[in-house]
Amino acid sequence: MCRFTLKWLIISIAFALVTAPLGALGQEILPSWNDGATKASIVAFVKNVTTEGSSAFVPAEDRIAVFDNDGTLWTEHPIYFQLAFALDRVKAMAPQHPEWKENEPFKSILAGDIEGLAATGEKGVVEVIMETHAGMTTEEFNSITRDWFASAEHPRFKRHYNELTYLPMRELLDYLRANGFKTYIVSGGGVEFMRPMTESMYGIPPEQVIGSRIVTKYMLKDDKPVLMREPKVDFIDDKTGKPVAINSIIGRRPIFVAGNSDGDYEMLRWSTAGDGLRLGVIVHHTDAVREYAYDRDTHFGKLDKAMTEAPERGWVLIDMKTDWKAIYPPAK
Amino acid sequence: MCRFTLKWLIISIAFALVTAPLGALGQEILPSWNDGATKASIVAFVKNVTTEGSSAFVPAEDRIAVFDNDGTLWTEHPIYFQLAFALDRVKAMAPQHPEWKENEPFKSILAGDIEGLAATGEKGVVEVIMETHAGMTTEEFNSITRDWFASAEHPRFKRHYNELTYLPMRELLDYLRANGFKTYIVSGGGVEFMRPMTESMYGIPPEQVIGSRIVTKYMLKDDKPVLMREPKVDFIDDKTGKPVAINSIIGRRPIFVAGNSDGDYEMLRWSTAGDGLRLGVIVHHTDAVREYAYDRDTHFGKLDKAMTEAPERGWVLIDMKTDWKAIYPPAK
């Protein structure tokens, strides 16, 4: 696989460097990407798998592309957006929970003491997630999520969280779809937290969003069937969970995969180990000025093993600082 | 909902009775269905939700249709096809398991004693399923399944199992898709048992097949990532599991739902309880000559509560004997 990839890269990058700037209709391909090896690798891959008669041709129905979300399609610092949502929910719900002023991890959250929350460890974080994500119907949770996106702002960029998607990755999603790919999100984030926003943010419909899940339970409420969200983990869509979920839900092995952390390692390996031409890309956060710079040493989006093995496995590192002309879409 | 359905039925059936025989292009709609109230209900529903300006109009992306499989899209008697597969596998694997001759439930299966198998109860059946469905990679299981479909024959009809799909339901799938619907299978059967065949049988791709699952585990085999099927139940896609799975995987509430047993009751209720126009249909097995006749009293596909409540909930019963001109596609 690796040698095939290298040979193909050498042959086709030269071709792609010439043709990349302009697509078939004269539109510029991936306009927010700087020309260079990264963009050329992506364009060459797409041309190869979509050119009939090419030895790497893949029929449209098998052109499955999977994207991690946090740190791959939108920002994940200073904390995961879903964690920011949970902390905001604790504050909003506090009046109904006077006991939280005395009990951790809520006490620390209400005092704005993130170190205190961190000290409660995974147990504390899970408790916060369950308290804020369960105990309502799926439709009620959908409304709560939409309301939060419409009001909350990122602490550094002072924009709504759903505006902090990466413009170059949105172009990449569009480019793949224009070439017959079906694009999926495969994220450690909660599937019902993402779904209300993915269509407008990325053009990805609910049925193409895979994520972590808590248990939902069918029941009758005033003789009307509803699905209640229960405070119990059903599935964690991270690490080995990602290929497992792709197989159980999509039932095909992707030929294109994008991630940014070691949580994507198994998805990258499994997807790119299939037969034929495959491409794995990794967003490397190298731009502290326009976004953030981190890799091996961070609490959110640690990239270590996947970066170490990228060269031998043929995975392409996207250098955010040099490969991207812009990070976010312009503010409205 | 119920009154709305009735009013709409009265208004639109007359219209549909006139227009049903010929579609927009002059092709006959649902040619294997006899004209009558059942066919008219389906055609009227589709016309209403697809006619722009109609108060019942539904945008294409929300036209989700879900179909049970066993007894709804293909035959489920004398036993579920997947159980027939498991019994055949026990026989094929027996030479590697000499101990089976002495141990239940395998002893009964090898002796062709279905009563003896039944006496081992659910525990025995689960043991057979695990022994025959786990312990291999997902790709190996895919091959085993394909091989079985290519060789095994139904005991009564002497045809391959994948030929015993209902022609009128295949036309219904085509008709819905031609009207912008996305068609899904939501079955109690194993998702990886169905997927190798659903595209050729029904035009339904793997990512639109939802079913029961055993646990799969990511691991390296000769340094190559694989997914191993483990002898442990992950999810049972039956009864309340069906709306739960539809929500977690599709993330939209279907507007059309087809089932045939009480295993589909909660899926019928949840789907048809949504806002706007919805249609639920139930295949009623009334034709002992061409297929089978059963409802309240059977081990496979018991239809009791859903049939009792069908009138009050506006669910349409499909009478196999009188509504269908043909059951199966012609033999090749």
Side-chain angles (χ1 to χ4, degrees):
Chain A
M1 173 63 209
C2 190
R3 258 172 302 174
F4 179 41
T5 304
L6 288 176
K7 183 184 171 191
W8 155 78
L9 270 176
I10 293 162
I11 293 170
S12 52
I13 282 182
F15 170 75
L17 281 169
V18 178
T19 58
L22 295 178
L25 297 170
Q27 295 158 317
E28 192 180 357
I29 292 173
L30 302 175
S32 300
W33 294 66
N34 285 311
D35 291 327
T38 305
K39 179 172 174 175
S41 302
I42 294 169
V43 173
F45 168 78
V46 171
K47 290 210 181 296
N48 270 279
V49 298
T50 57
T51 302
E52 287 199 54
S54 153
S55 62
F57 178 74
V58 175
E61 64 269 23
D62 287 323
R63 291 181 207 152
I64 302 290
V66 290
F67 287 76
D68 170 61
N69 188 35
D70 296 303
T72 298
L73 293 179
W74 71 3
T75 291
E76 63 185 346
H77 276 209
I79 58 175
Y80 293 132
F81 291 1
Q82 192 168 358
L83 183 54
F85 164 78
L87 301 185
D88 284 353
R89 288 299 299 157
V90 167
K91 291 169 198 157
M93 294 163 73
Q96 282 80 51
H97 294 270
E99 74 282 7
W100 282 356
K101 278 183 203 144
E102 308 302 325
N103 299 329
E104 291 293 9
F106 305 101
K107 186 179 166 185
S108 289
I109 295 169
L110 295 173
D113 174 10
I114 293 295
E115 293 297 314
L117 169 63
T120 67
E122 192 185 319
K123 189 173 164 291
V125 172
V126 169
E127 198 177 342
V128 171
I129 296 290
M130 291 309 167
E131 195 64 52
T132 54
H133 286 64
M136 71 289 278
T137 68
T138 51
E139 282 162 342
E140 287 161 354
F141 185 70
N142 183 307
S143 293
I144 292 167
T145 305
R146 285 180 190 275
D147 289 348
W148 181 78
F149 275 106
S151 60
E153 281 193 352
H154 187 275
R156 174 175 161 196
F157 297 108
K158 309 294 180 202
R159 294 177 69 175
H160 292 315
Y161 286 95
N162 54 311
E163 295 178 70
L164 299 179
T165 57
Y166 304 133
L167 181 61
M169 295 304 280
R170 289 169 64 161
E171 291 172 359
L172 177 54
L173 287 165
D174 288 338
Y175 173 57
L176 290 171
R177 287 191 291 256
N179 281 281
F181 282 76
K182 200 163 180 178
T183 54
Y184 282 84
I185 289 172
V186 180
S187 167
V191 65
E192 298 205 283
F193 175 73
M194 296 182 280
R195 276 188 178 143
M197 307 308 294
T198 54
E199 179 79 58
S200 61
M201 291 196 301
Y202 310 125
I204 295 181
E207 62 268 30
Q208 284 159 233
V209 181
I210 297 172
S212 296
R213 301 187 300 263
I214 61 174
V215 169
T216 55
K217 195 173 167 184
Y218 173 94
M219 55 173 65
L220 296 176
K221 201 174 163 183
D222 304 327
D223 201 43
K224 207 175 131 91
V226 295
L227 298 174
M228 286 296 295
R229 293 171 57 84
E230 306 267 299
K232 194 179 161 198
V233 171
D234 181 27
F235 180 75
I236 299 291
D237 189 40
D238 197 30
K239 300 191 170 72
T240 60
K242 291 197 175 196
V244 165
I246 293 169
N247 179 67
S248 79
I249 295 176
I250 308 178
R252 304 186 200 257
R253 201 189 289 228
I255 65 167
F256 180 92
V257 50
N260 79 297
S261 80
D262 284 358
D264 306 311
Y265 175 81
E266 286 84 0
M267 172 167 80
L268 280 157
R269 278 207 69 175
W270 184 71
S271 300
T272 57
D275 294 333
L277 196 59
R278 314 258 161 169
L279 185 62
V281 301
I282 297 172
V283 175
H284 188 195
H285 293 261
T286 52
D287 194 331
V289 174
R290 296 186 299 172
E291 204 239 11
Y292 296 95
Y294 58 92
D295 43 46
R296 297 186 201 270
D297 186 24
T298 174
H299 288 299
F300 301 98
K302 179 178 171 175
L303 174 64
D304 185 8
K305 190 178 179 186
M307 185 160 66
T308 302
E309 296 185 16
E312 66 176 286
R313 304 205 180 281
W315 301 335
V316 173
L317 278 174
I318 297 169
D319 183 327
M320 190 178 255
K321 189 173 178 178
T322 60
D323 284 327
W324 290 357
K325 288 182 192 162
I327 305 289
Y328 302 123
K332 283 170 198 163
Chain B
M1 175 59 209
C2 188
R3 256 172 305 176
F4 177 43
T5 304
L6 288 176
K7 184 183 170 191
W8 155 80
L9 270 176
I10 293 162
I11 293 170
S12 50
I13 282 182
F15 170 75
L17 282 171
V18 178
T19 58
L22 295 179
L25 297 172
Q27 296 158 314
E28 192 181 357
I29 293 172
L30 302 175
S32 300
W33 293 66
N34 285 312
D35 291 327
T38 305
K39 178 172 174 174
S41 301
I42 294 169
V43 174
F45 168 78
V46 171
K47 291 210 180 296
N48 271 279
V49 298
T50 57
T51 302
E52 287 200 54
S54 154
S55 61
F57 178 74
V58 175
E61 64 269 23
D62 287 324
R63 290 180 208 153
I64 302 290
V66 290
F67 288 77
D68 169 61
N69 188 34
D70 295 304
T72 298
L73 293 180
W74 72 4
T75 291
E76 63 186 345
H77 276 209
I79 58 174
Y80 292 132
F81 291 1
Q82 191 168 359
L83 183 54
F85 163 78
L87 302 186
D88 283 352
R89 288 299 300 156
V90 167
K91 290 168 199 159
M93 293 163 73
Q96 282 79 54
H97 295 270
E99 75 282 8
W100 283 356
K101 279 183 203 148
E102 309 302 326
N103 299 327
E104 291 292 7
F106 305 100
K107 188 180 163 184
S108 290
I109 296 169
L110 294 174
D113 175 10
I114 293 295
E115 294 297 315
L117 168 64
T120 67
E122 191 184 319
K123 189 172 164 293
V125 172
V126 169
E127 198 177 340
V128 171
I129 296 290
M130 290 311 167
E131 195 64 52
T132 54
H133 287 63
M136 71 290 278
T137 67
T138 51
E139 282 162 344
E140 286 161 353
F141 185 70
N142 182 307
S143 293
I144 291 167
T145 305
R146 284 181 190 275
D147 289 347
W148 181 78
F149 275 106
S151 60
E153 281 192 353
H154 187 275
R156 173 174 161 196
F157 296 109
K158 309 295 179 201
R159 295 177 67 176
H160 293 315
Y161 287 95
N162 55 311
E163 295 178 70
L164 299 180
T165 57
Y166 304 132
L167 180 61
M169 296 304 279
R170 289 170 64 162
E171 291 172 1
L172 177 54
L173 288 165
D174 287 338
Y175 174 58
L176 290 171
R177 288 191 291 255
N179 281 281
F181 281 76
K182 200 163 181 177
T183 53
Y184 282 84
I185 289 173
V186 180
S187 167
V191 66
E192 298 203 283
F193 175 72
M194 296 182 281
R195 276 188 179 145
M197 307 308 295
T198 54
E199 179 79 57
S200 60
M201 290 196 301
Y202 310 125
I204 295 181
E207 63 268 30
Q208 284 159 233
V209 181
I210 297 171
S212 296
R213 300 188 299 263
I214 60 174
V215 170
T216 55
K217 195 172 167 187
Y218 173 94
M219 56 174 65
L220 296 177
K221 202 175 163 181
D222 303 327
D223 201 45
K224 208 175 129 93
V226 295
L227 298 173
M228 286 296 295
R229 292 171 58 85
E230 306 267 298
K232 196 180 161 198
V233 170
D234 182 29
F235 181 74
I236 299 290
D237 189 40
D238 196 31
K239 300 190 170 70
T240 60
K242 292 199 176 197
V244 165
I246 292 169
N247 180 68
S248 80
I249 295 176
I250 307 178
R252 306 187 198 255
R253 201 189 290 228
I255 65 167
F256 180 92
V257 50
N260 79 298
S261 80
D262 283 359
D264 305 311
Y265 174 81
E266 286 84 1
M267 172 167 80
L268 280 157
R269 278 207 69 176
W270 184 71
S271 300
T272 58
D275 294 334
L277 196 58
R278 313 260 161 165
L279 185 61
V281 301
I282 296 171
V283 175
H284 188 194
H285 292 261
T286 53
D287 195 332
V289 175
R290 296 186 299 172
E291 204 239 14
Y292 296 95
Y294 57 92
D295 44 46
R296 296 185 202 272
D297 186 25
T298 174
H299 288 299
F300 300 98
K302 179 178 171 175
L303 174 64
D304 184 10
K305 190 177 180 188
M307 184 161 66
T308 302
E309 296 185 15
E312 68 177 284
R313 304 206 180 280
W315 300 335
V316 174
L317 278 174
I318 297 169
D319 184 328
M320 192 177 254
K321 190 173 178 178
T322 60
D323 284 328
W324 289 358
K325 288 183 192 163
I327 306 288
Y328 302 124
K332 282 170 199 163

